[in-house]
Structure formats: C-alpha cells, structure tokens
Amino acid sequence: MGTHSELGEFLRIRRASLQPEDVGVLNYGIRRVPGLRREELAMLAGVSTTYYTRLEQGLSTNASEAVIDAIARALNLSKDERVHLFNLARPGKTKRRTPAKPDKVRPGTLRLIQSMPGTPAVVLGRRSEVLAWNVLGHRLVAGHLDFAAPEAPSTRPNMTRLLFLDDHTRELYTRWPDEARRAVASLRLVAGKSADDQELASLVGELTLKSPDFAKLWVRHPVENCMSGVKYLHHPEVGYLELNFEVLTPPDESGHRVLLYAADPGSAAAEALQLLQVSGDTLKVPRGLAEIDS
C-alpha cells in the first residue's frame, strides 16, 4: 500500500466521480473518460495542471496544507475523505520496521464490556481483529466460533475477513452490500493512516485475492469513519433484529474500538436479545477472560 500510489488512485477516483455541471464547469468537447479533466480540477483548486498531475502520479511529496485543502474543496470531499486525503498527501515519517507485538485488549476495557451482560459488545483492534467480546456480543456476531478465539493472535477472528469469506457471517447481515461497503470504507481510512502496516497490507492482499466483492469495493476507494448507525441482522437462533450500534474509541493511540449494539426498548429486537442472553448465560466463560489481572 504505497502512500503516493494510493494518493493518486484516490484523486483519480474522486475526480472521475464529479461531473462538470456539479461544480459549475462549462462542459465542452467529447469526454473520453468520465468526470472532470485534470486541468478542470486544477483550475478549481487554484493550482497548475502540471503540479496537480504530479500529485496524481505520485511525483510530488511536499504539498502544502493550503494546496491539499484547496483540492479537497474542489473535489467536494466529506469530512472523513478530507482526513484521508491529508493522511495520504502528507504521511508521517516511516519508522524503522520492528516485529509487531501482539495486540491485546486493555484489562479495563475487558472489565467494562463484561459488566454489561445485556449489551452485545465487541472490542476491535485497528485492523478489525477481535480482541475480546462479552458473551452476548459473541452470541450475536459469531456464535459459530469459539468464545476463547480472541485470546490468542493465531486464532483471533477478523470481522472484515469474516464478512467477506465466512458464509455464516455473510448470511447474518440482511443488507450485506451496505455492511460490506461500510467495512471497506473504514478499512480504507485505517490504511491511509498506516501505510507501513504489513499486517494490514497482508489482510488487504488476502481479501483482494479471495473475494471478488472485496476487490471491487477496494478499488472504488470508499472512505468513511463509521461511528454509529443501524445493523439489520437475521440471527440463526432468534431471527430478524434491527439494532443500533455505536463505536467508542479509547483516548489513546491504540486504535482500539468498542462496538456496542442496542435495541429500541420494547421492540422485537429487544426481546430477541433477551432470549439470546438467556441462552448465553448457560455458557462458561473461559478462565483467561473471567479472571483479569489489573
């Protein structure tokens, strides 16, 4: 995931998605490719065509904040897309690569999700790997997997990999295309911040090779920080659920996210979660997650 090639790809895709009439540009001549021409985008951003072309080709690595901001305005980027553009155009200094230490959930975060037995909760790492879940979270999103799987990096599930490569997970989401796009958009945002993350690059490579659906979405370069919304599920045990979700991020640089699900009070989904909780209460929590060292 070369940062400069990613920058060029992102600019080309967003430029192609804009029509001249969308930005008040006079349409003239026969267009061989969709969207704005490079010179039109450069004019809107107030930079030279040559300079903008160098950006798309990954040949310019020192764009100023003012230039990046002008290009973002010209492309009508969303807030999340602007952040992504800045990450790609002005990447941080690459650190010397050292073997990555296995990530693990903070004890306090684990205590928090275990203290909410009636709320499905999943703790995710920066690459969407599952670091922990409470009993109801496990029952909701991956009951066919071992509850203790997140404890070891070698067996740790990855929610994006499950979404594209696991049939049980794919059948869980009644609006799978929306869920898939949301997952890829989130992963793109992470990739823009972590160009030298080899584990993330390996995940993207694996999914690109094994899932045509992922490959198609990835090249479209969607970008979105999905912090809340609604998920539509069809659970094999309790049927259809419409659940609100919220993503909480700890105030550190771990990149961890706590994914929480909630049903509207008195709804059929709330009753379904209660049934799922009752069945989950009979399960024994593995010792490694039940006994937490402070």
Side-chain angles (χ1 to χ4, degrees):
M1 296 184 297
T3 302
H4 302 311
S5 62
E6 292 289 313
L7 170 62
E9 176 186 290
F10 181 65
L11 289 174
R12 286 191 296 272
I13 290 173
R14 289 299 178 272
R15 177 168 59 83
S17 68
L18 283 178
Q19 299 305 314
E21 56 269 22
D22 295 335
V23 291
V25 172
L26 180 63
N27 192 1
Y28 63 92
I30 299 175
R31 293 180 180 268
R32 298 179 180 178
V33 294
L36 293 179
R37 299 183 175 96
R38 283 176 175 168
E39 59 267 26
E40 292 170 338
L41 197 285
M43 177 189 68
L44 290 171
V47 299
S48 71
T49 302
T50 300
Y51 183 75
Y52 177 78
T53 300
R54 289 177 60 83
L55 278 177
E56 276 202 5
Q57 294 175 342
L59 300 177
S60 180
T61 59
N62 60 349
S64 68
E65 183 171 331
V67 167
I68 300 170
D69 191 57
I71 293 173
R73 288 198 305 271
L75 290 171
N76 290 335
L77 298 185
S78 68
K79 178 181 178 181
D80 293 336
E81 289 170 336
R82 281 173 175 261
V83 171
H84 186 62
L85 177 60
F86 270 85
N87 288 333
L88 294 178
R90 306 184 70 186
K93 294 182 179 180
T94 302
K95 299 178 181 179
R96 179 180 297 177
R97 291 178 184 172
T98 56
K101 295 181 180 178
D103 206 354
K104 60 181 180 180
V105 63
R106 293 177 57 210
T109 304
L110 190 52
R111 281 192 291 267
L112 174 65
I113 66 171
Q114 289 185 346
S115 71
M116 303 183 294
T119 301
V122 181
V123 183
L124 301 174
R126 67 175 69 248
R127 308 174 194 92
S128 299
E129 69 274 26
V130 178
L131 301 179
W133 42 29
N134 61 11
V135 172
L136 192 53
H138 167 249
R139 297 279 289 164
L140 178 66
V141 301
H144 62 295
L145 301 181
D146 185 357
F147 180 84
E151 292 187 55
S154 60
T155 59
R156 189 168 284 166
N158 182 287
M159 293 297 288
T160 305
R161 182 184 287 114
L162 289 174
L163 185 64
F164 285 94
L165 302 182
D166 181 76
D167 290 338
H168 293 279
T169 305
R170 186 159 185 149
E171 293 174 359
L172 179 65
Y173 297 97
T174 62
R175 300 186 182 183
W176 186 88
D178 293 339
E179 195 69 26
R181 185 196 177 283
R182 190 154 50 192
V184 172
S186 294
L187 198 63
R188 268 293 188 184
L189 198 59
V190 174
K193 302 175 185 176
S194 311
D196 60 343
D197 188 328
Q198 292 303 299
E199 290 187 38
L200 180 58
S202 295
L203 173 65
V204 171
E206 175 193 358
L207 293 176
T208 300
L209 289 174
K210 294 181 179 179
S211 172
D213 291 319
F214 178 88
K216 290 177 183 178
L217 283 170
W218 187 255
V219 297
R220 294 175 189 169
H221 215 128
V223 177
E224 184 179 357
N225 190 17
C226 307
M227 302 300 292
S228 63
V230 180
K231 292 183 183 287
Y232 301 89
L233 313 175
H234 183 259
H235 195 274
E237 295 182 44
V238 296
Y240 291 99
L241 300 95
E242 183 176 326
L243 299 175
N244 305 301
F245 76 89
E246 292 287 335
V247 178
L248 308 181
T249 55
D252 54 23
E253 297 182 356
S254 65
H256 294 180
R257 292 164 289 158
V258 182
L259 176 58
L260 303 174
Y261 300 84
D264 292 333
S267 66
E271 295 181 6
L273 282 184
Q274 290 178 351
L275 290 174
L276 202 59
Q277 181 183 358
V278 170
S279 61
D281 286 342
T282 62
L283 299 177
K284 182 179 180 180
V285 177
R287 182 177 179 180
L289 293 183
E291 298 181 3
I292 310 168
D293 294 330
S294 59

